[in-house]
Amino acid sequence: MSRRRGKGEDATPGIAPVYEGPEVLSALLERAGSKNRAEDVVAMFTQAQAAGEPRSAVIPGIFQDEPRFESPEAARRLYSNLFGLWARLAAGLGALDDAPEVVPEPAAPPELPERGAGEGDVLERELVEAVWKNLAAAAPRELQRRRDRFQNVQPDLAAWLDAAPLPDAAAVTAQDLAFEAWAMFDQAFGERLGAVEYHQLRAVEKEPPPLESVQPALAAYVAEQLDVLADDDPNVTEEVRAQIERAVAAAVAGLTESVRDLS
């Protein structure tokens, strides 16, 4: 089995470490309600790394109160910049270099199976692994194209996720995991995958069937990513994790139900 994402400093689900420079970071911090600017964060990160402290222990201290975001994308972009800055400093680079983006060169992802070649309605472990690794290695423009397609072909699912009563950080993770799940279903079942309808999600949102009983390989992947997130973000309590798991389980139940038999 190929190595899966571990619990390293750059292994947060759906958030690549991309630093856009001090001006962008300062603006994002201000919009999130932090009184710190980029230079303050550089000092905090530098001191923490010298002391051997993990990133997850430092980032919460950047915010005097719970950070606020106008959208999941805003939260994703801020944390992407923070993770990118941490990676730059850890690599011995400054915050003002000519090359502000730090994205490690990933190993070549495994080849994807032919789209629509999956049988039945249960995802295979190998497909789950191949899809997430290809998504992780995708260029930002390609990843955005896939997200746009998700919004277009699954409008009810996207709208339901947007309306889900989740805290900001939980909403970002639930949306990212649901998007990844859709990408796996789309690759496996192709044209057999129909659009999830809003009423399907409302019917199961409070008590969705356990993910491990519906899609065991996907359940293992989701559990691993939530373990990573809980290690990295102290705000992800057991209650928040349960909210994310419930939202993802409802989305996956809807996707599974929408796989059609065209024989």
Side-chain angles (χ1 to χ4, degrees):
M1 175 178 175
S2 301
R3 184 175 61 86
R4 297 174 65 88
R5 268 186 285 196
K7 299 181 180 180
E9 286 285 289
D10 297 327
T12 301
I15 303 180
V18 178
Y19 178 58
E20 298 177 86
E23 292 185 2
V24 171
L25 177 56
S26 292
L28 292 172
L29 288 167
E30 183 177 1
R31 285 161 58 186
S34 175
K35 297 179 181 178
N36 289 304
R37 295 184 57 80
E39 55 267 29
D40 302 314
V41 176
V42 169
M44 294 169 66
F45 281 3
T46 301
Q47 182 178 1
Q49 290 179 1
E53 297 179 28
R55 185 182 70 190
S56 58
V58 184
I59 287 181
I62 295 172
F63 306 98
Q64 292 72 36
D65 299 303
E66 184 72 18
R68 58 178 185 270
F69 303 105
E70 65 267 25
S71 68
E73 183 56 39
R76 188 181 295 113
R77 188 178 182 190
L78 172 57
Y79 283 102
S80 177
N81 271 271
L82 290 172
F83 296 169
L85 176 58
W86 178 275
R88 286 187 62 78
L89 297 173
L93 302 174
L96 296 171
D97 304 63
D98 294 332
E101 188 168 306
V102 176
V103 180
E105 285 293 328
E111 185 176 350
L112 288 170
E114 180 182 355
R115 181 172 179 264
E119 299 180 356
D121 62 3
V122 178
L123 298 169
E124 297 290 338
R125 177 182 59 81
E126 292 79 10
L127 180 131
V128 169
E129 182 167 343
V131 170
W132 81 250
K133 287 187 174 180
N134 275 268
L135 289 174
R141 181 174 297 181
E142 170 61 17
L143 194 58
Q144 188 58 53
R145 186 191 70 79
R146 297 292 300 275
R147 289 184 181 277
D148 290 343
R149 182 165 174 265
F150 168 62
Q151 296 274 342
N152 290 333
V153 301
Q154 297 288 348
D156 283 10
L157 177 54
W160 178 81
L161 287 165
D162 284 341
L166 296 170
D168 286 332
V172 170
T173 302
Q175 290 176 3
D176 285 342
L177 288 172
F179 160 70
E180 292 183 342
W182 165 80
M184 295 167 188
F185 274 83
D186 181 72
Q187 190 67 40
F189 307 119
E191 300 307 316
R192 291 205 294 125
L193 178 63
V196 181
E197 297 184 3
Y198 207 89
H199 71 84
Q200 293 175 270
L201 298 162
R202 291 299 306 273
V204 299
E205 62 185 3
K206 292 185 179 179
E207 292 187 28
L211 187 54
E212 57 271 19
S213 69
V214 178
Q215 295 289 348
L218 182 54
Y221 171 77
V222 169
E224 181 178 313
Q225 300 317 303
L226 292 180
D227 286 345
V228 171
L229 184 65
D231 282 353
D232 203 49
D233 187 349
N235 292 316
V236 180
T237 62
E238 287 298 321
E239 180 181 357
V240 170
R241 176 169 179 153
Q243 290 177 301
I244 297 171
E245 290 173 333
R246 188 159 51 247
V248 174
V252 170
L255 288 166
T256 303
E257 187 178 343
S258 297
V259 178
R260 298 167 294 196
D261 183 1
L262 300 181
S263 60

